[in-house]
Amino acid sequence: MSSENLPQSPERAESPEPQRPKPRVAVVFGGRSSEHGISVVTAGAVMKAIDRTKYDVLPIGITTDGRWALTADEPERMAITDRQVPDVDRLAESAEGSVVLSVDPGSREVVYTEPGSVPKALGEVDVVFPVLHGPYGEDGTLQGLLELSGVPYVGAGVLASAVGQDKEYMKRVFVSFGLPVGPYEVVRPREWDEDPAAARRRIVDFAAEHGWPLFVKPARGGSSMGITKIDGVEGLDAAIEEARRHDPKFLVEALLRGREIECGVLEFEDGPRASVPAEIPPVTAHDFYDFEAKYIDSAAGLVPAPLTEEQTAEVQRLAVAAFDAVSCEGLVRADFFLTEDGEFVINEINTLPGFTPISMYPRMWQESGVSYPELVDRLIQAALTRSTGLR
């Protein structure tokens, strides 16, 4: 019998290669802002899209009072039903248990604690996919925590997140980089608290210069929440009160007559690229493209936007310029007005745009040749290769 037909001894037998653990993605959602419910919906869509053959997923919900809760991996429970948005309290596995992420950069351990029980280690996370919208999540606060913890994360860093959340400083940065912005006025908390009459006069003077209607909006909000369109001074106080329910600092913006155009930016290996743009058509059932039009009544955008080649190239150029101006990473949705005289004016950027099934950002990239699962995968891979800290 030849030696090649002899059975191998245990010493000579080749041991199978140990299987490498899959990268663990913590999807963090919910939060303390008024956009809590939309964040849950976004998280459900992202979790459905993550390739489970490539990644393990750990869902972590943050309740409206700030508790980090362990939730079930059940994306189907995270959708809008009967015109109601979901919340973390109903998804949490416990009413009292909390999740803690170590701030020691040498450890990425996640620990779960229950009152009266021994803390339970849930293992380490390799990357965080934050899908919190608004303050206490999208504004640099969560990003700062993750920087302290040394955990890579999807999307913009601390500075870009903070600037991208604050419409006043966002516009100031845009102006400093030569990007066109529309007329606006800012009223800060101390100004309103000390002399509301003077603040009102300033707004009325602004209206005299730029005309009615005006938009009154929270300075650090999103999803069109807290925004009121007013046609005269008689609606001003109620509009200010509504904006200040979401943020003590508010903006007043002039109406720009024209078309609403959006463009997505995604970071590739060779730098940021712009998607095909989309157009938000006039919303007949709503006064403007507000929260209900976006998420409840599912107002349909036109993707791609019916623009000329020159207009498409220009809005794509401006979108990437806005991404660079704010030092963004990962992704951005840039919102513009195409005015009646044919000029693009940037309204704002969103450093963590919605990922709901009807959100414009994924739809624009789908039309640009990047599917929803591929988009999510690209964002996770980019985060895994990017270090925390100064970069």
Side-chain angles (χ1 to χ4, degrees):
M1 184 183 286
S2 67
S3 61
E4 64 183 1
N5 292 324
L6 291 171
Q8 289 185 319
S9 67
E11 291 76 22
R12 292 179 60 191
E14 291 184 16
S15 15
E17 291 240 356
Q19 237 185 350
R20 286 189 173 181
K22 293 182 284 189
R24 199 166 194 217
V25 182
V27 180
V28 181
F29 59 94
R32 293 162 57 190
S33 83
S34 52
E35 296 175 80
H36 176 100
I38 290 305
S39 171
V40 178
V41 176
T42 298
V46 168
M47 286 162 56
K48 277 184 185 177
I50 293 177
D51 184 349
R52 303 307 178 95
T53 67
K54 291 179 67 174
Y55 308 104
D56 286 326
V57 175
L58 177 66
I60 300 174
I62 301 179
T63 63
T64 52
D65 61 2
R67 177 173 64 94
W68 288 43
L70 192 62
T71 68
D73 188 357
E74 298 175 357
E76 63 280 359
R77 295 176 55 202
M78 302 166 76
I80 295 174
T81 54
D82 299 325
R83 302 176 70 87
Q84 296 296 313
V85 291
D87 63 70
V88 170
D89 279 309
R90 278 180 277 181
L91 296 166
E93 294 195 344
S94 163
E96 295 183 299
S98 61
V99 173
V100 178
L101 176 65
S102 171
V103 292
D104 176 0
S107 168
R108 296 176 180 177
E109 188 78 34
V110 175
V111 176
Y112 179 71
T113 61
E114 279 269 15
S117 300
V118 177
K120 176 184 175 184
L122 300 179
E124 293 193 341
V125 297
D126 296 287
V127 63
V128 169
F129 200 130
V131 290
L132 294 108
H133 299 304
Y136 312 110
E138 191 182 352
D139 59 350
T141 50
L142 177 64
Q143 290 74 14
L145 172 63
L146 296 173
E147 292 284 353
L148 287 173
S149 302
V151 180
Y153 54 93
V154 168
V158 176
L159 175 66
S161 297
V163 173
Q165 185 67 38
D166 191 311
K167 293 177 176 62
E168 176 192 358
Y169 289 100
M170 181 199 306
K171 291 175 188 291
R172 291 183 184 276
V173 169
F174 289 159
V175 169
S176 73
F177 277 81
L179 294 167
V181 303
Y184 70 98
E185 193 75 37
V186 179
V187 179
R188 294 177 174 168
R190 191 169 64 186
E191 294 176 292
W192 182 256
D193 293 339
E194 291 182 354
D195 196 346
R200 281 192 201 91
R201 282 195 301 272
R202 188 149 55 89
I203 295 169
V204 172
D205 290 344
F206 178 82
E209 181 179 357
H210 299 287
W212 302 94
L214 299 178
F215 289 90
V216 181
K217 58 176 64 174
R220 295 159 290 194
S223 296
S224 298
M225 299 187 79
I227 300 178
T228 307
K229 179 183 177 184
I230 55 173
D231 295 312
V233 70
E234 61 281 353
L236 181 58
D237 282 357
I240 291 172
E241 185 179 342
E242 172 61 15
R244 282 173 55 84
R245 277 201 319 113
H246 299 266
D247 187 347
K249 180 166 79 166
F250 64 94
L251 273 76
V252 177
E253 294 178 346
L255 172 69
L256 292 175
R257 299 188 187 280
R259 298 160 62 187
E260 290 189 52
I261 306 294
E262 297 184 349
C263 190
V265 179
L266 179 63
E267 198 166 15
F268 286 77
E269 291 78 8
D270 60 351
R273 300 183 203 168
S275 70
V276 299
E279 178 170 5
I280 307 301
V283 185
T284 54
H286 300 263
D287 205 22
F288 62 98
Y289 194 45
D290 61 6
F291 176 85
E292 290 227 341
K294 281 183 178 179
Y295 297 109
I296 305 299
D297 293 337
S298 307
L302 304 175
V303 187
L307 300 170
T308 66
E309 285 186 20
E310 293 77 13
Q311 289 171 328
T312 296
E314 176 63 4
V315 76
Q316 289 174 327
R317 180 189 74 80
L318 290 169
V320 172
F323 181 96
D324 287 336
V326 182
S327 298
C328 287
E329 294 167 299
L331 71 164
V332 145
R333 193 194 70 230
D335 301 345
F336 298 86
F337 292 103
L338 176 56
T339 63
E340 292 175 338
D341 59 4
E343 297 297 318
F344 282 104
V345 174
I346 188 163
N347 183 37
E348 64 184 48
I349 60 169
N350 193 315
T351 58
L352 200 66
F355 268 79
T356 69
I358 61 168
S359 294
M360 297 306 298
Y361 186 84
R363 289 182 59 196
M364 288 187 286
W365 279 109
Q366 176 80 41
E367 190 67 27
S368 304
V370 181
S371 69
Y372 191 8
E374 185 185 349
L375 177 62
V376 170
D377 184 69
R378 180 170 287 280
L379 290 168
I380 294 171
Q381 285 298 318
L384 283 167
T385 58
R386 190 168 57 233
S387 64
T388 54
L390 299 177
R391 52 189 184 274

